[in-house]
Amino acid sequence: MAWFASLVVLGAVYVAALAFRLVRHLAVCFRGPKDIRRCYGTWATITGPTSGIGWSLAVELARSGLNLVLVGQDPAKLRDISQTICRAAPTVKTQDSSLGLSLLATAHSDEAMRRLRQTVEALDVGVLVNNAGVLEPCAVFLHEAGAEEWVDMRVNLLALTEVTAAVIPGMVDRGRGAVVNLGSASSEAIPSLPLYTMYAATKRYVARFSKSLHVEYRSKGIDVQCQAPFFVAGTMASAFVEARRFMPLTPTPETYARTAVRWIGHGPLCVPILGHRIMWFFSGIVPDFLLDEMLLHDHLWQRKELQSIRSLPTSG
């Protein structure tokens, strides 16, 4: 009977831990929005704001009263999001910073980075959102990826690192700030991501980078956080074949952004969407070898589909 009692106690502790996490999540989801401007500063810098999650996060931050420094490589698209923000929040100011994020750590980016540093040094930048990221190449073996695709993947690594290094000194001087890095559940909740190896590996860097910075800078009043969502509709993550399977649990970028902003400052790693937390929970139950085989099977199928699409003749 002693062993049975021990199992009951362990089961009760486990259930209590799950219940605590659920209650904590619901408490953040249903309470009023945090006054980010008062807590951190009057300006936010966001990378990759011209589409998908980045676009929605920029609009949501503007609705929270933050002025925005918009960092991207297409000046026309930056103007579009600036105009959208002005319509949604007429009192919000925006500044565009054109920067080819895939060219960071090269001579071509030095001048653009210098301009970005000058911009943020003159402003009360209290929030940095590193949203820009690259998924391609999709569903390929490592040896099939070209050199150009390897270079583009530096957006997930060097862009995040260099932009953070440019913005965080001002936060240190002011003794407050928040850094939000968009990671992925693909590097945290599941054991592997076959045929998307480079993407998953770079997102693991994002998580470890964020956690270490959190430990380094929390005593200086700076909250560093990695948000690790699963699939979000209409974004690059929707390219995964699994996104169709879990469509009922897949939020729109607007829904994700509203919830994500509420989670700023709440822990070094978070999964803002409740449906994603459910997926994370069940991913932890399924044995790793089964997840590995399922994901490999799905991505091999997707690889064939993509090869078929690429082989179709183009209409003249």
Side-chain angles (χ1 to χ4, degrees), residues 109 139 166 268:
S109 70

Side-chain angles (χ1 to χ4, degrees), residues 127-314:
V127 177
L128 167 63
V129 179
N130 283 305
N131 163 77
V134 172
L135 173 63
E136 295 182 345
C138 295
V140 299
F141 288 95
L142 181 64
H143 69 275
E144 296 172 332
E148 184 176 344
E149 291 161 333
W150 275 98
V151 171
D152 288 344
M153 196 63 69
R154 73 170 63 204
V155 172
N156 299 356
L157 302 170
L158 296 178
L160 169 113
T161 306
E162 288 208 34
V163 173
T164 301
V167 174
I168 210 166
M171 296 180 177
V172 173
D173 291 341
R174 291 183 291 273
R176 62 179 185 175
V179 178
V180 180
N181 298 321
L182 266 291
S184 171
S186 66
S187 69
E188 304 303 304
I190 55 179
S192 69
L193 198 66
L195 277 66
Y196 289 89
T197 298
M198 290 189 294
Y199 172 77
T202 60
K203 289 302 181 179
R204 184 61 175 167
Y205 171 84
V206 173
R208 301 305 296 173
F209 177 79
S210 303
K211 174 66 178 192
S212 295
L213 283 187
H214 167 76
V215 174
E216 287 181 34
Y217 286 96
R218 61 186 172 186
S219 64
K220 302 180 185 299
I222 301 171
D223 296 320
V224 182
Q225 178 184 83
C226 174
Q227 296 193 359
F230 274 94
F231 313 111
V232 177
T235 67
M236 64 182 184
S238 61
F240 289 104
V241 65
E242 296 86 5
R244 301 171 216 167
R245 184 179 301 140
F246 296 104
M247 189 60 69
L249 298 177
T250 301
T252 63
E254 294 76 16
T255 298
Y256 181 84
R258 284 194 298 270
T259 308
V261 169
R262 289 175 181 265
W263 275 89
I264 292 177
H266 295 283
L269 177 67
C270 78
V271 185
I273 299 297
L274 181 58
H276 289 176
R277 281 186 167 263
I278 294 171
M279 294 169 65
W280 194 307
F281 171 76
F282 284 105
S283 296
I285 293 176
V286 179
D288 285 0
F289 76 91
L290 287 180
L291 283 174
D292 288 340
E293 289 301 316
M294 182 190 74
L295 290 166
L296 179 60
H297 176 270
D298 284 349
H299 295 166
L300 286 172
W301 177 86
Q302 185 179 23
R303 180 172 183 268
K304 290 181 180 179
E305 290 292 304
L306 291 173
Q307 287 176 333
S308 298
I309 293 171
R310 295 182 189 118
S311 65
L312 291 175
T314 57

Side-chain angles (χ1 to χ4, degrees), residues 78-92:
L78 290 175
R79 286 193 296 271
D80 287 344
I81 182 61
S82 292
Q83 293 169 1
T84 299
I85 289 168
C86 289
R87 290 193 295 269
T91 62
V92 167

Side-chain angles (χ1 to χ4, degrees), residues 5-61:
S6 298
L7 288 177
V8 170
V9 171
L10 288 174
V13 170
Y14 183 70
V15 171
L18 291 178
F20 174 78
R21 292 177 185 174
L22 177 61
V23 170
R24 179 177 177 272
H25 183 98
L26 293 175
V28 174
C29 289
F30 293 112
R31 72 183 177 188
K34 188 176 185 178
D35 189 346
I36 299 175
R37 184 184 176 101
R38 180 180 62 82
C39 292
Y40 298 120
T42 57
W43 284 80
T45 298
I46 179 169
T47 66
T50 58
S51 63
I53 294 175
W55 177 290
S56 298
L57 281 171
V59 172
E60 194 63 29
L61 289 168

